[in-house]
Amino acid sequence: DGGITQSPKYLFRKEGQNVTLSCEQNLNHDAMYWYRQDPGQGLRLIYYSQIVNDFQKGDIAEGYSVSREKKESFPLTVTSAQKNPTAFYLCASSIDRSTLNQPQHFGDGTRLSIL
Amino acid sequence: SQQGEEDPQALSIQEGENATMNCSYKTSINNLQWYRQNSGRGLVHLILIRSNEREKHSGRLRVTLDTSKKSSSLLITASRAADTASYFCATDAGWSTGFQKLVFGTGTRLLVSP
C-alpha cells in the first residue's frame, strides 16, 4: 500500500539539542509539506517542497530546517533555536503543484516533547 | 492566521443521529476540503468541493458550499461511534500563493456515543 511513513512516533529533546523527524512517502508525489499542530488548534505550515532540491519556508519556519535530496524523503530538523518545540508534527504530500484541486495525504505524525 | 473557523468547537451526539459542522473562511478560494483526524493520528481526506460547486455527497457525508457567505457545512448522517474524531476544514486559495497552500481551521471535536 502506498502512503507516508513518519518516524519516530514519539521523540524527546533535551535542551540545546537538534532532533530530526523522518518522513518517507512511496506515493510518487512531487510536493511535500511539514505542519505543526498544537493542542486544540489547526495545522500550521512549517516548510514545503515542490520538487527535489527545492524547498520554501511556510508560516512558522523559524527554528526549523529541512532538506529534499530525494523525492521520497523530506526530513525536518527541529533546532535548538526553536524555543517551544513541544507539538505534534505532521508530514503530508500531494501530487504536484501543477494539478489543481488535489487532496493532501498525511502521515501519522511524530509527537515531540521536551525533557 | 488561520482562515477557517469551525463551529461548534465540540459536538456530542448519540449513534444514529446526524452531525452538522460548519466552517467559515475569509478570502476567495479555489476549493474547500474536509479532513478527519482520529486521536493521535494523521489527517484523512474526506471530501473536496470546488468553488463552482454547491453540494457534494460521499457515502454518509454531505458537504455544502456557499461562496457568497464564505461558509461550508459538513453533514454526517446516521452517525456511528467510529465517527468519533476531530473534523477540520481547509481552504485552498489556489495558485495565487504560488503553490497549493491549505489553510486549516481549528476543528470540531465530534463524540458519538453508543
Side-chain angles (χ1 to χ4, degrees), chain A residues 3 5 11 45 49 53-54 58 69 85 95 98:
Chain A
T5 301
L11 187 58
L45 183 64
S49 169
N53 293 324
D54 177 74
E69 297 176 359
I95 295 172
S98 62

Side-chain angles (χ1 to χ4, degrees), chain B residues 1-90:
Chain B
S1 64
Q2 290 165 330
Q3 166 157 248
E5 295 293 334
E6 282 95 338
D7 171 56
Q9 289 188 328
L11 181 61
S12 183
I13 60 175
Q14 299 290 317
E15 267 192 328
E17 295 180 339
N18 295 342
T20 300
M21 289 159 265
N22 302 295
C23 170
S24 60
Y25 58 92
K26 299 175 183 175
T27 64
S28 296
I29 62 172
N30 187 55
N31 66 67
L32 187 144
Q33 304 179 29
W34 284 91
Y35 289 81
R36 184 188 74 221
Q37 183 179 34
N38 288 77
S39 182
R41 303 293 298 273
L43 276 68
V44 175
H45 180 259
L46 295 176
I47 198 164
L48 181 153
I49 186 166
R50 301 177 184 181
S51 59
N52 61 354
E53 297 176 314
R54 292 296 168 259
E55 187 171 313
K56 202 163 184 179
H57 296 255
S58 176
R60 292 184 297 111
L61 305 180
R62 172 178 171 255
V63 169
T64 62
L65 179 64
D66 186 335
T67 53
S68 66
K69 296 182 179 178
K70 291 185 170 58
S71 68
S72 173
S73 68
L74 170 67
L75 168 67
I76 304 174
T77 60
S79 62
R80 306 166 182 169
D83 294 328
T84 294
S86 292
Y87 292 82
F88 293 89
C89 68

Side-chain angles (χ1 to χ4, degrees), chain A residues 1 8 11 16 18 31 41 43 64 67 73 78 94-95 97 100 103 110-111 115:
Chain A
D1 283 339
L11 187 58
N18 294 351
Q41 297 191 29
L43 279 63
Y64 300 98
S67 63
S73 179
V78 183
S94 61
I95 295 172
R97 63 166 298 192
L100 292 177
T110 292
R111 189 168 300 279
L115 283 177

Side-chain angles (χ1 to χ4, degrees), chain A residues 9 33 35 37 41-43 45 48 50 59 88 90 94 97 99-104 106-108, chain B residues 2 30-31 33 35 37 40-43 45 48 50 88 92 95 98-102 104-106:
Chain A
K9 190 170 178 64
Y33 312 81
Y35 294 93
Q37 185 178 31
Q41 297 191 29
L43 279 63
L45 183 64
Y48 67 97
Q50 299 174 84
D59 299 320
F88 191 48
L90 288 160
S94 61
R97 63 166 298 192
T99 304
L100 292 177
N101 299 318
Q102 52 180 297
Q104 290 187 8
F106 285 81
D108 269 342
Chain B
Q2 290 165 330
N30 187 55
N31 66 67
Q33 304 179 29
Y35 289 81
Q37 183 179 34
R41 303 293 298 273
L43 276 68
H45 180 259
L48 181 153
R50 301 177 184 181
F88 293 89
D92 183 354
W95 305 122
F99 69 103
Q100 185 208 31
K101 180 178 180 180
L102 291 183
F104 288 84
T106 52

